[in-house]
Amino acid sequence: MTRATGPARLRPALRAPAATRGNALPAGAWWLWALGLATAASRTTNPLLLGLLVGVAGYVVAARRTDAPWARSYGAFIKLGLFVVAVRLVFTVFLGSPLPGTHTLFTVPEVPLPDWAQGVRIGGRVTAEQVVFALYEGAKLATLLICVGAANSLANPARLLKSLPGALYEVGVAVVVAMTFAPNMVADVARLRTARRLRGRPTGGVRAVLQIGLPVLEGALERSVAVAASMDARGYGRTAQVPPAVRRTTHVLTLGGLLGVCAGTYGLLAAQGGVHGLPLLLAGLVAAGAGLRLGGRRTVRTRYRPDRWGLRAWLVAGSGAAVAVLMIWAGAADPEALRPGVLPLTAPVLPLWPAAAVLIGLLPAAVAPLPPSSSDSKEHA
């Protein structure tokens, strides 16, 4: 029996391993990847690039999500994104748009308003330019929501909570309720629809949604609060005594750093704030990091099996950051390619370099560990 040599021996080493408790990616890596895609989506209204971002996120979710109940929330976020686009179009049609246009599609009967409502219009002429502009803006917001949905489908909420710095343990109970509400709601929807189907009752339509909606919201909130109450009963968030000076310094650094992060993020997402946004973001991250490190001295909680940031986690998080940075650079170098014109109305064109930058976001589908349901080791077990 001969031993394999050369590329045949290297090929198994390059494959992504099966996900286990020890090598599973930290939840923060998935969130950083998704936020990078969301940042890239916020820099463009090109529907071709937005569709490519949605395709990248969807492919990674399909390749690396597990069979857990919270992993099924991606479809709900897609539906929410489509609903946002529809609402944006309805508002444009019935409430009008300040954008002028020359290609009239139809005219909605206009409601007369009093003199004090100057600048507000209900009904009137609807142009193709207004509809296309509403589609572009709605598609951008929908892509942001879908990227957040990808993070919710891939990142385990419990592992994300376990990765919180020690200074944030006091707000951990509220974080549990916020992070587990959406996944629990999606799981309750699937459970109630299955129960109604087994009883021969309809699962679609307005009537079914009204009958399912309240039990779903109530059940998801009760389960999230139950988890938070169990954590509180076990002493989660219990703190030790520290000197008052350290406590005040921690509060100042943390609050100032978070404000700097918010201001820097807003500057990066804004169309003309990239020059001041990056320094503010970096300064805020440094100050917030110092405050969180000081605040970590107050916790008396130990951590069992902490998440380890290995090479694969850094590649996943770095791919999202690379997409965001390259898209910001492309927006500064060629803004017209990322924001197709509406006046005059022109067809969008797919720019090659931004499209290639978006494809970097596919890296997690190759380097992230395989979910247990799709691993070969489980099939042969």
Side-chain angles (χ1 to χ4, degrees), residues 94-169:
F94 290 99
L95 299 181
S97 173
L99 189 72
T102 57
H103 300 80
T104 302
L105 296 178
F106 52 88
T107 302
V108 179
E110 188 170 356
V111 178
L113 298 176
D115 296 336
W116 55 265
Q118 294 293 334
V120 179
R121 179 173 65 86
I122 301 178
R125 188 170 64 99
V126 179
T127 64
E129 289 82 358
Q130 295 174 352
V131 172
V132 171
F133 180 77
L135 282 175
Y136 286 173
E137 294 296 326
K140 180 171 72 172
L141 182 55
T143 305
L144 290 171
L145 292 173
I146 291 173
C147 292
V148 173
N152 276 279
S153 299
L154 295 170
N156 189 334
R159 294 177 69 93
L160 179 63
L161 180 64
K162 189 173 66 173
S163 303
L164 284 177
L168 300 181
Y169 285 164

Side-chain angles (χ1 to χ4, degrees), residues 241-254 290-291 294-295 297-298:
Q241 295 294 330
V242 294
V246 176
R247 185 168 58 253
R248 287 191 292 266
T249 304
T250 300
H251 293 164
V252 171
L253 288 176
T254 304
L294 282 176
R297 299 179 181 179
R298 301 177 60 187

